[in-house]
Amino acid sequence: MLPISLWAQETIATDSVTVAGTVAATLTKAEVPATDAAAGTIGELATGLNTVWMLLAAMLVFFMQPGFALVEAGFIRTKNTANVLMKNLVDFMFGSILFWFIGFGLMFGIGGFVGAPHFFNLDVMDKIIDNGLPIEGFLIFQTVFCATAATIVSGAMAERTKFSMYLVYTIFISVLIYPVSGHWTWGGGWLMNGEEGSFMMNTFGTTFHDFAGSTVVHSVGGWLALVGAAILGPRIGKYGKDGKSKAIPGHSLTLACLGVFILWFGWFGFNPGSQLAAATSGDQIAISHVFLTTNLAACAGGFFALVVSWVKYGKPSLSLTLNGVLAGLVGITAGCDLVSPFGAVIIGAICGVVMIFSVDFIDHVLKIDDPVGASSVHGVCGCLGTILTGLFATEEGLFYGGGCHFLLAQIFGAAVVGAWAAGMGYIIFKGLDKVHGLRVHKRIEEEGLDVYEHGESAYN
């Protein structure tokens, strides 16, 4: 009896099978379960590979937490280092528990504006999501993205925020602000609803697209950071009596540079990992493409930030180059799956340049003190990268003959999510400031938050 190929085109009768061509073989009923078992084994292997890829990507995104911690620590002064490191640690601890408890249900549960919460109940969520992956692993993957959105805020509000108030607004980000806008997009909500008669299809003829979170993660964190820093006010000594901005250098560009390299490395989980599959040839091509576009955008963002800072300030600035790399990474995150390598370079370059002028505008014109440039890197470039996807997407993009429908959908989605984050941020930060005060006392700020807030120093 000839062996039966799992991939051959076969015609199966009750007790026999006819093989294409002149070769015929008999397949008994007893052998059918064996064939099904083999197919089931292959399916399990594919699911296993997809699961391992998802969890590996989650590990890489988790590793971005120390990257953010080092960047923020390097861009602030020595006396506040332990404080900002503690905040980045707490982000993940609090965020993981809170997102598991309620945020996951709000983001991926069934509902219009927001999903129905299923407190601690992963069995119910598994039936709702049903993506073929273990629900526990999918929860972990989404948790690390939530933690990223929360940690962006700490850098912009560094060196003068009460630690207790930081704990409170981190709760709001993890259980309300991020999950709600996340439901609109990744949770099956209205911004990505492609069904006939849906709002986006009726209005734009297409849906909003954010592959890995330029808007969903980064602009949410960036707009929260901008509003929080504005309400908190500038650090003591940041602006003189004449209103001119004064530089307050961070204590270690070495730490900041190491942090950017770690974030760059982690982004290879952030973007390619959002494919959530690696078993098929199509998945493998998609992952490889996203790896390439992600890296090219980062390089272009850093290079063009270096050149522009050199021309603008007379010296090639390391700090601006580091933020240029991050700006390129943030910008490409929305469309890394849709744009060509050339498009990725253009998006990275635009974001790297715009970031420099955005930092200058926020500091000198708006008079908002953002020590690490989080508002520009994540807020402005997250929004900009999402919109540029509408121009450079190879299928629907305006520059590729796709018309303006997709571009308008991208603008609308970025604006709606940005307004949600900024509006909720204003309510929460203003409320906390009125009720308890966001800012530490003047003496604590002058002498450092490390000793007064934590009773210890990062450097002894």
Side-chain angles (χ1 to χ4, degrees), residues 128-376:
I128 293 172
I129 296 172
D130 191 25
N131 59 5
L133 296 167
I135 191 64
E136 293 87 351
F138 187 66
L139 168 61
I140 285 294
F141 184 78
Q142 294 299 330
T143 297
V144 293
F145 277 71
C146 178
T148 299
T151 200
I152 291 169
V153 184
S154 63
M157 299 176 67
E159 302 203 276
R160 71 268 201 210
T161 305
K162 292 178 181 177
F163 183 70
S164 58
M165 292 296 95
Y166 179 77
L167 297 180
V168 174
Y169 70 69
T170 294
I171 294 173
F172 282 103
I173 295 172
S174 300
V175 305
L176 178 64
I177 299 174
Y178 174 77
V180 169
S181 57
H183 178 75
W184 300 348
T185 50
W186 294 342
W190 61 284
L191 282 177
M192 287 190 178
N193 185 354
E195 297 177 0
E196 186 177 352
S198 67
F199 172 80
M200 292 298 289
M201 296 304 293
N202 284 341
T203 307
F204 302 105
T206 187
T207 60
F208 177 67
H209 180 87
D210 189 354
F211 184 73
S214 285
T215 288
V216 179
V217 178
H218 293 283
S219 81
V220 166
W223 298 133
L224 284 167
L226 181 66
V227 173
I231 292 174
L232 191 61
R235 291 167 290 175
I236 295 173
K238 174 61 179 173
Y239 298 101
K241 294 180 179 179
D242 56 359
K244 291 185 178 180
S245 174
K246 298 180 180 179
I248 302 180
H251 83 280
S252 177
L253 284 178
T254 302
L255 291 181
C257 186
L258 178 59
V260 169
F261 273 119
I262 291 174
L263 287 170
W264 197 338
F265 177 68
W267 235 285
F268 292 131
F270 202 94
N271 286 4
S274 294
Q275 180 70 14
L276 288 176
T280 70
S281 59
D283 293 326
Q284 293 150 20
I285 292 171
I287 291 169
S288 300
H289 179 80
V290 171
F291 257 93
L292 177 62
T293 55
T294 299
N295 189 60
L296 288 175
C299 295
F303 176 74
F304 278 88
L306 183 156
V307 171
V308 172
S309 68
W310 201 339
V311 172
K312 184 175 174 63
Y313 301 110
K315 300 287 183 181
S317 168
L318 174 58
S319 59
L320 288 175
T321 301
L322 293 175
N323 269 343
V325 170
L326 296 181
L329 288 166
V330 169
I332 196 59
T333 296
C336 53
D337 61 324
L338 297 183
V339 304
S340 68
F342 177 76
V345 170
I346 299 300
I347 289 174
I350 292 173
C351 288
V353 172
V354 170
M355 178 276 302
I356 291 179
F357 291 96
S358 174
V359 167
D360 190 69
F361 179 79
I362 290 173
D363 184 17
H364 293 91
V365 179
L366 299 183
K367 302 285 193 247
I368 297 175
D369 182 16
D370 180 350
V372 304
S375 306
S376 298

